[in-house]
């Protein structure tokens, strides 16, 4: 029987609801600052989330929606500049501490750490955004709790490609069957499954209707005492919320 050695967390949508009131606002602030009359409303942003990575998302928008924007200034701007500005705005939003961790995240991370289960991160977002989110929510020392943070352009292909998870496994010196992933999106699930990883989903408003076929368990959240998680698909969990023991049991059943 394989023991659970590490839990690999996705960031956006999993650790925190960062997309609607974080990344989206930061993109819009960067567009406005650049004099562009582009605005990504909540619905449009939901569609654009199908494209992972902020630079890739802007490129996709230019390729597919540009004719509706009514701007002629795009030629003067590079995507890299827009994205760097967006990252600056995003970090400012996080520093204002308006975005907290999702229910159960801090409790579960603390519990895993105290039980000697290693922690790692595999995310599409930019490394400095991960640092900013962890610092704003758990405090700067918590950065040391994660044995490895795989992020953004460290790999050539972003999720749904397996690259970011393969990099993470390589750096942890573990194999896929040693680990369990917590994700929120179909793209994240595809990436993790392509790397051979057992995956638990905590869905959110943007991802609730996505195809989570292949996940060991799909929940609406990790849950907390007094705030029960609901199982949406896959294997049931014992109790009202996800604990280290829940993850051990799911991992054992998958491996
Ligand atoms: C989610 C994403 C990211 C962010 C934007 O990443 O797709 O692209 O929306 O981040 P994950 P950047 O769920 O894997 O954490 O603008 O920094 O790319
Ligand atoms: Mg995500």
């Amino acid at each position: 029987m394989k023991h659970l050695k590490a839990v690999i967390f996705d960031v956006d949508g999993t650790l925190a609801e960062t997309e609607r009131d974080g990344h989206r606002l930061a993109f819009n602030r960067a567009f406005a600052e650049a004099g562009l009359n582009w605005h990504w409303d909540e619905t449009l942003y939901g569609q654009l989330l199908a494209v992972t990575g902020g630079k890739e998302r802007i490129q996709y928008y230019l390729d597919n929606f540009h004719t509706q924007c009514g701007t002629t200034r795009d030629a003067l701007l590079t995507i890299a500049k827009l994205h760097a500005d967006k990252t600056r705005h995003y970090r400012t939003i996080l520093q204002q501490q308006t975005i907290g961790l999702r229910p159960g995240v801090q409790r579960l991370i603390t519990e895993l750490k105290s039980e000697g289960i290693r922690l790692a991160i595999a995310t599409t977002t930019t490394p400095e955004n991960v640092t900013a989110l962890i610092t704003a929510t758990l405090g700067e020392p918590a950065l040391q709790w994660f044995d490895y943070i795989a992020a953004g352009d460290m790999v050539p292909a972003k999720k749904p490609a397996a690259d970011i998870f393969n990099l993470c496994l390589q750096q942890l010196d573990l194999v896929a069957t040693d680990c369990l992933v917590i994700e929120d999106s179909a793209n994240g699930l595809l990436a993790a499954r392509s790397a051979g990883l057992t995956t638990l989903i905590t869905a959110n408003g943007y991802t609730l209707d996505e195809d989570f076929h292949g996940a060991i368990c799909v929940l609406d959240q990790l849950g907390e005492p007094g705030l029960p998680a609901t199982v949406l698909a896959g294997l049931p969990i014992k109790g009202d919320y996800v604990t280290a023991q829940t993850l051990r049991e799911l991992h054992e059943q998958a491996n």
Side-chain angles (χ1 to χ4, degrees):
M1 188 184 68
K2 276 272 193 180
H3 290 289
L4 178 62
K5 293 182 181 162
V7 174
I8 305 173
F9 286 86
D10 170 51
V11 173
D12 295 304
T14 300
L15 293 185
E17 300 263 18
T18 49
E19 293 293 4
R20 190 190 63 189
D21 299 325
H23 289 291
R24 187 183 69 87
L25 292 193
F27 280 113
N28 285 332
R29 286 180 191 174
F31 300 154
E33 192 177 57
L36 297 163
N37 63 347
W38 306 351
H39 178 77
W40 291 357
D41 65 26
E42 290 179 24
T43 306
L44 172 60
Y45 194 68
Q47 296 168 34
L48 296 173
L49 277 176
V51 181
T52 60
K55 293 188 287 293
E56 294 81 355
R57 196 167 296 146
I58 298 169
Q59 181 69 62
Y60 177 84
Y61 178 70
L62 279 169
D63 293 345
N64 294 276
F65 294 81
H66 181 238
T67 51
Q68 299 166 17
C69 300
T71 182
T72 56
R73 291 201 53 202
D74 61 289
L76 301 172
L77 297 157
T78 66
I79 289 175
K81 167 80 168 80
L82 270 178
H83 189 256
D85 291 339
K86 174 260 168 179
T87 300
R88 174 169 47 80
H89 287 296
Y90 180 69
R91 289 173 62 102
T92 301
I93 291 167
L94 291 181
Q95 283 157 8
Q96 289 161 348
Q97 298 192 312
T98 50
I99 297 177
L101 297 175
R102 292 189 67 187
V105 168
Q106 180 162 1
R107 174 188 51 75
L108 182 63
I109 284 177
T110 307
E111 189 187 342
L112 291 167
K113 183 173 159 286
S114 73
E115 295 195 13
I117 297 176
R118 298 169 68 190
L119 303 169
I121 281 174
T123 175
T124 300
T125 201
T126 310
E128 51 262 50
N129 292 349
V130 183
T131 305
L133 179 68
I134 301 287
T135 303
T137 54
L138 293 169
E140 200 176 344
L143 288 167
Q144 306 309 318
W145 300 353
F146 296 88
D147 280 2
Y148 190 66
I149 296 177
D153 294 329
M154 287 179 185
V155 289
K158 293 183 176 165
K159 300 173 190 177
D163 300 29
I164 201 78
F165 286 107
N166 285 331
L167 171 68
C168 198
L169 289 174
Q170 188 193 346
Q171 293 296 323
L172 292 172
D173 197 19
L174 294 175
V175 295
T177 49
D178 292 327
C179 305
L180 182 142
V181 168
I182 303 184
E183 266 285 355
D184 73 304
S185 71
N187 277 328
L189 173 63
L190 280 170
R193 295 297 296 142
S194 298
L197 287 151
T198 301
T199 308
L200 168 81
I201 296 290
T202 50
N204 59 55
Y206 271 132
T207 66
L208 204 53
D209 295 327
E210 292 185 352
D211 179 3
F212 292 126
H213 185 80
I216 188 90
C217 176
V218 182
L219 301 166
D220 63 338
Q221 56 168 323
L222 292 172
E224 288 281 35
L227 186 64
T230 301
V231 179
L232 306 171
L235 296 181
I237 61 165
K238 287 185 195 143
D240 282 346
Y241 53 92
V242 173
T243 64
Q245 183 57 21
T246 313
L247 299 186
R248 277 197 207 91
E249 287 172 8
L250 290 172
H251 175 261
E252 194 177 312
Q253 290 176 79
N255 294 280

